[in-house]
Amino acid sequence: MKRGFGSLPVTAVLLAIAFIYFSTVFIFIDRWFGLMTSPGIMNAVVFTGVAVTCVLNYAFAILTDPGRVPSNFMPDVEDAEVPVHEIKRKGGDLRYCQKCSHFKPPRAHHCRVCKRCVLRMDHHCIWINNCVGHANYKVFFVFVVYAVTACIYSLVLLVGSLTNDSQNDEQQNADSSRTVYVISALLLVPLSVALSVLLGWHIYLVLHNKTTIEYHEGVRAMWLAEKGGHVYKHPYDLGVYENLTTVLGPSIFCWLCPTSRHIGNGLRFRTPYDGMSASTSK
């Protein structure tokens, strides 16, 4: 599957972003504050900054390869520095992809849409025409943060501008702006709710250092562990702060920037057992 902006869902997202931006700046802000006033200019500049950052992260999420499994990848079961090896549910063998004809690194999964294995795969997203995986998970997460911010900001400006009744509007302009208000409300309300739910879900995943696939697998693993009288713990959960830095980066000032130099090659991930294996090997 080719990544890019040519798919219908991506085109729909770009059109929605353009419509919301122009209606917010040139109707909501202009009607509430006036574009030539200090509050109007300030709100227009801030909203433009949020919108541009949102679009940039969206573009990065679309164009960034989520991560490919090297053709020569081979898990080393005798490596003492790799205490955790993922195995098949049935048989207990090392995970092997029959379609790609290679072993799967930890947290990698085969995507039926992309027709290949993706490193640290979270899910395939039609809205970015790409998989969300190891290399683009952070920019996808940051995009959702800015998208929620932009939608709520625009919704506040929409409501605020409605409270500012203008007596000087011509009837024709009033009718056309009313249409824009209705369309904007029909876009912004469900978008704000849906994206807020999506952001909340991914905040939960980041705090626990899980992917969407691992969450669903963990529910089954937890049930099986409790059935056998054991306690299940996600093998990549390092604690809240370590999970945050693992996914978003070591510097808090870069958490909302589209930088991913900290992520490594996606073939090995830190676990709570790393220190234990190092101490036992001494």
Side-chain angles (χ1 to χ4, degrees):
M1 188 198 73
K2 297 180 67 175
R3 297 186 305 276
F5 297 91
S7 73
L8 184 60
V10 170
T11 302
V13 170
L14 293 174
L15 289 174
I17 291 173
F19 179 83
I20 290 171
Y21 175 77
F22 284 104
S23 61
T24 300
V25 173
F26 297 105
I27 295 181
F28 307 157
I29 293 177
D30 187 36
R31 181 170 178 177
W32 191 0
F33 304 106
L35 271 179
M36 294 299 105
T37 64
S38 295
I41 293 173
M42 181 191 71
N43 278 280
V45 168
V46 172
F47 187 79
T48 299
V50 173
V52 168
T53 311
C54 179
V55 171
L56 284 176
N57 280 279
Y58 184 58
F60 286 137
I62 292 172
L63 299 175
T64 302
D65 191 311
R68 295 176 178 269
V69 179
S71 58
N72 61 348
F73 171 76
M74 181 67 67
D76 187 358
V77 294
E78 296 181 357
D79 188 353
E81 294 184 359
V82 185
V84 175
H85 292 279
E86 295 183 359
I87 59 176
K88 295 180 181 179
R89 291 177 187 168
K90 296 181 179 179
D93 299 326
L94 291 173
R95 297 165 66 235
Y96 185 85
C97 182
Q98 299 291 343
K99 296 178 181 177
C100 297
S101 300
H102 58 56
F103 286 97
K104 293 181 184 179
R107 316 181 81 176
H109 295 274
H110 187 87
C111 176
R112 289 176 294 179
V113 180
C114 296
K115 294 181 172 57
R116 64 184 177 91
C117 287
V118 175
L119 297 176
R120 195 187 180 276
M121 180 177 172
D122 186 90
H123 68 287
H124 184 89
C125 180
I126 63 169
W127 301 108
I128 65 171
N129 194 30
N130 198 4
C131 267
V132 178
H134 175 66
N136 67 346
Y137 180 80
K138 182 187 173 182
V139 291
F140 173 80
F141 178 82
V142 174
F143 158 68
V144 176
V145 171
Y146 284 113
V148 170
T149 304
C151 285
I152 294 176
Y153 192 179
S154 180
L155 198 55
V156 170
L157 291 170
L158 183 155
V159 174
S161 64
L162 282 175
T163 62
N164 182 29
D165 294 324
S166 176
Q167 302 296 328
N168 299 322
D169 287 344
E170 296 181 3
Q171 184 64 36
Q172 184 177 357
N173 291 336
D175 292 340
S176 61
S177 65
R178 190 178 298 115
T179 303
V180 172
Y181 274 99
V182 171
I183 297 174
S184 297
L186 291 175
L187 274 174
L188 286 170
V189 172
L191 272 178
S192 297
V193 173
L195 288 172
S196 296
V197 171
L198 181 64
L199 177 60
W201 169 244
H202 281 283
I203 288 174
Y204 167 82
L205 293 177
V206 169
L207 292 177
H208 293 82
N209 200 1
K210 293 181 180 180
T211 65
T212 300
I213 294 174
E214 288 170 350
Y215 169 81
H216 292 293
E217 290 180 340
V219 170
R220 174 178 170 81
M222 186 180 300
W223 177 78
L224 291 173
E226 290 178 352
K227 189 176 179 181
H230 304 288
V231 177
Y232 171 78
K233 180 175 174 58
H234 181 55
Y236 303 103
D237 188 352
L238 304 170
V240 172
Y241 181 74
E242 287 296 323
N243 291 340
L244 284 168
T245 56
T246 298
V247 177
L248 301 179
S251 173
I252 191 173
F253 301 105
C254 297
W255 282 1
L256 294 182
C257 300
T259 55
S260 299
R261 288 175 291 184
H262 64 284
I263 60 175
N265 59 14
L267 301 177
R268 181 182 182 277
F269 298 90
R270 290 170 55 204
T271 73
Y273 312 105
D274 289 357
M276 295 168 55
S277 64
S279 62
T280 54
S281 62
K282 291 182 180 179

